[in-house]
Amino acid sequence: MPRLRAAPDLQVSAWLNTPEPVTLAGLSGKVVLLEVFQMLCPGCVEFSLPQAGRVRAMFAPEDVAVIGLHSVFEHHEAQGSTAALSAFLHEYRIGFPVGIDRQSETGGLPLTMAAYNLQGTPTTLLIDRQGRLRAHHFGHVPDLRLGAEIQALIGEAAPAAAVADPSEPVEGCTADRCPVPASPSSAP
């Protein structure tokens, strides 16, 4: 199995729908669905953003965090302002936290987009509870597939059931047997 790598930090210029900036380190212990989108991307509007909303509604917030990343790599004039994105999020009723990917000073791809080596939008990224990038989907992902991947990641970190240490004696047991304890109603 290939060695899993830590998900790169998010390089965000502003956050919407959250009172505090969101960090992957702050989400440690949760599975993170990071939905990378652009306002003018038809696949984002029709498929990925509604799907991210469904994931947020379906999974417990203590298990799964859903965040968006508005990563503008084209049509900067139309999509580049915080006011335009804020109006878009309101219009489409997107309530999860959304960061604005920091633009490159050299005019290249936005910084988080480049760090994750993204091909475009929509892109759905899944990050496990330990902060490792586990799935990278460019384009639409069927709901059942995405749900199964998320559930598998939730299950990976489920606490292991307590197992008795066989070297420690259990009350009432001997080396060769453990009798069923007498119930209070069967006592003489």
Side-chain angles (χ1 to χ4, degrees), residues 180-188:
V180 174
S183 66
S185 61
S186 67

Side-chain angles (χ1 to χ4, degrees), residues 38-50 74 92 121-122:
Q38 290 188 94
M39 291 186 296
L40 297 179
C41 164
C44 300
V45 173
E46 187 173 348
F47 298 112
S48 69
L49 289 170
E74 59 186 359
Y92 286 92
T121 57

Side-chain angles (χ1 to χ4, degrees), residues 45-125:
V45 173
E46 187 173 348
F47 298 112
S48 69
L49 289 170
Q51 182 178 59
R54 290 189 300 274
V55 167
R56 185 173 184 228
M58 182 61 62
F59 291 95
E62 56 272 6
D63 287 328
V64 178
V66 175
I67 56 177
L69 183 69
H70 187 243
S71 195
V72 179
F73 59 91
E74 59 186 359
H75 308 296
H76 293 274
E77 314 75 42
Q79 303 186 81
S81 79
T82 303
L85 179 58
S86 182
F88 172 85
L89 297 176
H90 175 77
E91 182 70 25
Y92 286 92
R93 294 174 172 78
I94 296 168
F96 50 82
V98 173
I100 300 172
D101 201 354
R102 189 175 306 280
Q103 292 297 312
S104 167
E105 292 179 15
T106 62
L109 289 176
L111 299 180
T112 307
M113 181 175 244
Y116 279 87
N117 197 27
L118 303 183
Q119 297 171 297
T121 57
T123 295
T124 303
L125 303 171

Side-chain angles (χ1 to χ4, degrees), residues 27-31 62-63 128-131 157:
L27 296 173
S28 180
K30 296 182 181 190
V31 173
E62 56 272 6
D63 287 328
D128 69 16
R129 293 183 192 249
Q130 291 76 38

